[in-house]
Amino acid sequence: MKVLIVGSGGREHAIAMAVKKSSKVDKIYCAPGNAGIGEIAELVPIKPMEFDALAEFAVNEKIDLTIIGMDDPLVGGIVDVFEKKGLRVFGPSKAAAILEGSKAFSKDLMKKYGIPTASYETFTDLNEALKYLETAEYPIVLKADGLALGKGVLICMDKNEAIEGAKSIMGDKKFGDAGSTMVIEEFMTGREVSVLSFCDGKTIRIMTSAQDHKRAYDGDKGPNTGGMGTFSPSPFYTKEIDEICMEKIYKPTVEAMAKEGRSFKGIIFFGLMLTSKGPKVLEYNARFGDPEAQVVLPRMKNDIIDVMEHCIDGTLSDINLEFEDNAAVCVVLASDGYPVSYEKGKEITGLDAFNNRKDIFCFHAGTAMKDGKIVTNGGRVLGITALDSELKAARKKAYEATEFVKFDNKYMRNDIGMAFME
Ligand code: AMP
Ligand code: GLY
């Protein structure tokens, strides 16, 4: 088989590594990819939002399966463009990807179908939102409706902060059009867990759990990022919680989407908060998490292509997902200054230390080739993942491996995975 992957981050590198393990695959392409993905796939210089050019490439190269890694093209309807051309593609249609594309949609869906989540109000008018904030309880959470690279969420401790936040989202359009509509929701406390799943429109199969660290600095301080590190499994996500989630969240979500005429085929990523009143949904995503994929996929025993084909064909009920009985920790190496402003183009050295290792991986996120050298090309540069029999050992190994890699402005959090050692 020939497989095309659309995207260029650490998640797409993790997907490419999983695809490479499949006995069904002869050749991998990635558009546009990065320097690391380029070592196992042929890079195609087409941007993820150029749907027609990508579909034309898939037709001309006789691609058997295209996997969409990123949220933007999914929400923009790339799957519909591919399907119209009779191409096989893994990911939700535009109608289904709205689960991630609009927080107002997903909140209304959860309310309509009784899926546990924070209480909320939706606003399209700034003055109405400001009036609501006058009498609200604090802390409170403001969310830009649309996609904002995981950064469109503001947690406001008091009224003044919330008023400034609402003005920046809806007035100054800090997150662009994503902020034309804003959700204001109840602040929840508890452990966060990320649960990824495969869906075929009717059946859902849950992958092993993970936990992300979204804030930029140690101690969960600083601005929200796309994610600074992950570990898997989450020891807080017990079998009992999994059963509650299956009954109250996972199955109802898939059924709700089908009932709404938005049957979901692809990955649903459940961002959950384990509150004292039970698990509640923080957010849905319509794709693998980044850097969740970097700890979940290396632990998966199944052939990823086999699972994806069953999703497309609506036969996922024939598949049992299996994961290694081990643990993984991923530490993101970022450019200092991320997510606000940072320099690019710094040479990266030490990557050879990962060659031929089966217990440590270096997933490339923001990297590029320049004059025959690998250089930094983004905020999140690399994801260093280590596998071991349990989390503590995996964490130690991952941090040791971060020392192998050198580049100017290298920044990482030092407390990834501390939670499970408390
Ligand atoms: P989201 O993109 O919706 O997952 O939000 C990003 C991060 O903001 C989450 O991972 C949480 O840490 C935090 N967050 C979002 N919504 C809430 C909420 N209702 N209560 C507390 N924290 C939240
Ligand atoms: N790491 C969170 C996300 O991918 O949205």
Side-chain angles (χ1 to χ4, degrees):
M1 275 176 79
K2 286 183 176 182
V3 173
L4 168 65
I5 300 167
V6 176
S8 61
R11 165 185 48 216
E12 285 74 24
H13 197 181
I15 294 171
M17 299 260 254
V19 168
K20 191 171 186 298
K21 281 200 283 186
S22 170
S23 56
K24 302 183 173 192
V25 175
D26 307 303
K27 170 115 191 166
I28 311 173
Y29 298 87
C30 187
N34 60 37
I37 299 173
E39 287 169 13
I40 53 173
E42 184 174 326
L43 301 186
V44 181
I46 306 176
K47 295 200 182 83
M49 295 306 282
E50 294 173 354
F51 302 165
D52 290 329
L54 287 167
E56 197 184 312
F57 175 84
V59 169
N60 291 341
E61 292 298 324
K62 301 196 169 50
I63 300 292
D64 298 292
L65 174 66
T66 300
I67 302 166
I68 314 299
M70 298 170 71
D71 45 4
D72 281 305
L74 288 169
V75 170
I78 189 170
V79 167
D80 307 58
V81 172
F82 270 61
E83 283 180 347
K84 237 182 234 151
K85 289 214 152 80
L87 292 160
R88 263 169 96 72
V89 54
F90 178 79
S93 64
K94 184 174 185 178
I98 192 174
L99 192 63
E100 169 163 9
S102 166
K103 295 212 189 271
F105 170 86
S106 69
K107 295 297 291 188
D108 289 349
L109 184 89
M110 287 187 267
K111 191 191 249 177
K112 183 169 170 188
Y113 291 91
I115 298 166
T117 188
S119 58
Y120 72 102
E121 296 285 337
T122 303
F123 296 90
T124 49
D125 179 81
L126 175 60
N127 288 325
E128 290 292 320
L130 293 176
K131 207 157 86 191
Y132 177 85
L133 292 172
E134 283 299 322
T135 55
E137 280 184 34
Y138 291 88
I140 207 161
V141 184
L142 310 183
K143 297 187 173 184
D145 177 54
L147 297 180
L149 295 170
K151 296 165 202 151
V153 173
L154 301 179
I155 294 171
C156 304
M157 299 316 287
D158 57 37
K159 190 162 55 174
N160 285 343
E161 228 182 279
I163 288 171
E164 287 312 307
K167 284 181 180 165
S168 73
I169 291 177
M170 296 189 84
D172 306 339
K173 293 278 168 69
K174 189 175 169 192
F175 307 109
D177 283 343
S180 302
T181 298
M182 183 174 76
V183 170
I184 302 186
E185 76 175 33
E186 167 204 4
F187 176 75
M188 301 190 286
T189 53
R191 296 273 181 196
E192 277 188 59
V193 51
S194 300
V195 178
L196 312 180
S197 67
F198 287 97
C199 303
D200 72 354
K202 314 178 288 286
T203 301
I204 181 161
R205 291 281 185 260
I206 298 299
M207 295 181 232
T208 183
S209 61
Q211 185 178 321
D212 188 14
H213 298 64
K214 287 218 170 80
R215 301 292 196 97
Y217 314 138
D218 283 5
D220 282 332
K221 302 225 163 47
N224 261 324
T225 69
M228 293 300 293
T230 39
F231 59 87
S232 170
S234 162
F236 310 107
Y237 187 79
T238 59
K239 194 160 181 291
E240 188 196 355
I241 292 176
D242 180 62
E243 280 163 12
I244 295 171
C245 291
M246 183 53 89
E247 189 197 331
K248 293 194 184 301
I249 297 176
Y250 306 149
K251 279 191 188 154
T253 299
V254 176
E255 282 164 15
M257 290 299 279
K259 278 201 190 118
E260 294 292 310
R262 297 173 181 276
S263 163
F264 195 106
K265 288 187 174 193
I267 306 287
I268 302 183
F269 165 148
F270 298 87
L272 303 176
M273 183 78 93
L274 308 180
T275 76
S276 58
K277 292 188 187 134
K280 294 189 180 182
V281 177
L282 277 169
E283 65 159 349
Y284 293 114
N285 295 313
R287 37 128 189 119
F288 283 102
D290 187 346
E292 281 86 346
Q294 291 90 312
V295 286
V296 169
L297 288 177
R299 300 186 54 227
M300 191 166 91
K301 289 190 191 173
N302 301 72
D303 180 325
I304 192 170
I305 298 295
D306 191 36
V307 180
M308 288 178 167
E309 292 211 292
H310 277 81
C311 290
I312 296 170
D313 295 337
T315 53
L316 188 61
S317 57
D318 294 345
I319 293 273
N320 277 324
L321 290 184
E322 286 185 281
F323 288 82
E324 303 284 352
D325 183 19
N326 61 2
V329 173
C330 174
V331 179
V332 169
L333 303 184
S335 305
D336 196 14
Y338 170 74
V340 182
S341 66
Y342 47 85
E343 292 177 13
K344 300 185 195 174
K346 312 286 182 195
E347 185 181 352
I348 305 171
T349 58
L351 296 169
D352 289 350
F354 296 87
N355 290 352
N356 306 316
R357 290 284 299 258
K358 295 216 161 14
D359 58 340
I360 53 171
F361 307 95
C362 178
F363 295 111
H364 289 228
T367 67
M369 281 296 265
K370 196 176 158 199
D371 305 328
K373 290 177 178 153
I374 296 181
V375 298
T376 65
N377 192 38
R380 292 190 293 178
V381 177
L382 301 166
I384 306 296
T385 293
L387 292 174
D388 212 311
S389 55
E390 44 87 36
L391 285 165
K392 216 169 165 179
R395 177 174 195 274
K396 184 163 176 281
K397 204 188 268 182
Y399 272 104
E400 279 165 9
T402 62
E403 296 302 321
F404 301 161
V405 182
K406 307 237 178 312
F407 58 89
D408 283 352
N409 293 345
K410 176 176 140 187
Y411 171 77
M412 64 183 163
R413 271 181 66 163
N414 295 295
D415 61 348
I416 301 304
M418 287 292 270
F420 59 73
M421 295 171 67
E422 282 163 13

